[in-house]
Amino acid sequence: DTGVSQDPRHKITKRGQNVTFRCDPISEHNRLYWYRQTLGQGPEFLTYFQNEAQLEKSRLLSDRFSAERPKGSFSTLEIQRTEQGDSAMYLCASSLRDMYSPLHFGNGTRLTVT
Amino acid sequence: AQKVTQAQTEISVVEKEDVTLDCVYETRDTTYYLFWYKQPPSGELVFLIRRNSFDEQNEISGRYSWNFQKSTSSFNFTITASQVVDSAVYFCALSEANNYGQNFVFGPGTRLSVLP
């Protein structure tokens, strides 16, 4: 069990640029979640995959955000035309399909939009 | 809708004191799951404990214990004999099944500072 891996750890970009983050879940986990966390707040749900199917997206998720999980393995989260309000920590988590299974989080990608 | 409230924003204790972190949740489902996570200064969220809605038995695991009361929708977490390494932000989370699978909702967190 190598844990959930996220890349990059930090990303600084200028407003209007596109950014893409990658998440590699724990290999036997078929569920993958993306969350966003801002300073002093709890993680906020963005989207969720079961295998390769994206089953749910937060209503708060702008259409500038898109996520994929091809072949049900790693996932990418892309933000187009970044805005300063997108600055946050983006967290990826994975879990087994069992309803009692906890989320296992990666270290996150910290995005700073200047 | 799901909601998790952690009324304590920050708590400071002196090492070896016991500390209880409060969590109140809202859900319309009869089947749900509750979790506590720890986020140390390094940033990674670490799973600590869990409880399902059908099991109100309170447990102790090492220095951790939890008190789940469905009647008051509370899931409180206690650290006994706190240590400096317990300093972190603690999040309570609620999970329930929905039409799409399962979602987790987190509370705003309680920052615990354990002073030597």
Side-chain angles (χ1 to χ4, degrees):
Chain A
D1 179 357
T2 57
V4 178
S5 177
Q6 291 189 246
D7 183 70
R9 290 294 305 275
H10 304 274
K11 178 70 176 179
I12 300 174
T13 190
K14 292 184 177 179
R15 187 177 56 183
Q17 297 294 306
N18 299 343
V19 295
T20 300
F21 309 141
R22 177 180 170 121
C23 172
D24 288 89
I26 294 172
S27 57
E28 62 266 30
H29 287 181
N30 47 21
R31 290 182 170 178
L32 187 148
Y33 296 76
W34 285 98
Y35 282 82
R36 176 171 61 191
Q37 187 179 25
T38 53
L39 198 61
Q41 302 296 317
E44 175 188 40
F45 172 73
L46 293 179
T47 190
Y48 149 62
F49 291 85
Q50 183 157 295
N51 300 314
E52 67 276 8
Q54 187 175 18
L55 296 187
E56 189 175 3
K57 290 175 62 173
S58 168
R59 284 170 288 179
L60 302 175
L61 202 63
S62 155
D63 58 6
R64 296 184 296 105
F65 287 70
S66 62
E68 294 182 344
R69 193 183 181 196
K71 302 179 182 178
S73 55
F74 71 92
S75 175
T76 58
L77 177 68
E78 180 182 16
I79 308 174
Q80 296 182 328
R81 305 181 302 281
T82 52
E83 302 173 355
Q84 287 188 321
D86 297 332
S87 296
M89 176 74 85
Y90 289 84
L91 299 169
C92 177
S94 68
S95 74
L96 295 169
R97 189 170 178 172
D98 170 17
M99 292 295 292
Y100 203 27
S101 177
L103 295 177
H104 296 264
F105 283 87
N107 284 318
T109 294
R110 181 168 296 284
L111 173 65
T112 302
V113 182
T114 61
Chain B
Q2 300 168 281
K3 184 178 179 181
V4 177
T5 302
Q6 295 178 252
Q8 305 151 309
T9 305
E10 295 190 36
I11 300 176
S12 289
V13 299
V14 177
E15 203 170 17
K16 298 184 182 177
E17 286 184 356
D18 299 347
V19 57
T20 295
L21 308 180
D22 297 335
C23 173
V24 174
Y25 61 92
E26 293 180 27
T27 178
R28 287 176 288 190
D29 276 10
T30 56
T31 301
Y32 53 89
Y33 307 84
L34 296 161
F35 302 81
W36 275 97
Y37 284 82
K38 174 183 179 180
Q39 189 172 39
S42 59
E44 183 173 344
L45 278 150
V46 177
F47 163 68
L48 295 177
I49 60 171
R50 62 185 169 185
R51 177 61 66 201
N52 70 57
S53 55
F54 298 107
D55 186 358
E56 287 193 74
Q57 182 177 357
N58 297 311
E59 289 190 19
I60 298 174
S61 176
R63 295 188 299 111
Y64 297 157
S65 62
W66 47 101
N67 186 339
F68 173 37
Q69 293 191 349
K70 289 178 73 171
S71 61
T72 56
S73 298
S74 65
F75 184 51
N76 297 336
F77 174 61
T78 297
I79 303 173
T80 303
S82 60
Q83 301 174 2
V84 173
V85 293
D86 295 328
S87 297
V89 181
Y90 289 82
F91 293 96
C92 180
L94 166 69
S95 172
E96 59 186 20
N98 58 26
N99 291 336
Y100 310 101
Q102 183 179 10
N103 193 3
F104 290 76
V105 173
F106 285 80
T110 297
R111 180 176 297 279
L112 173 65
S113 297
V114 181
L115 308 174

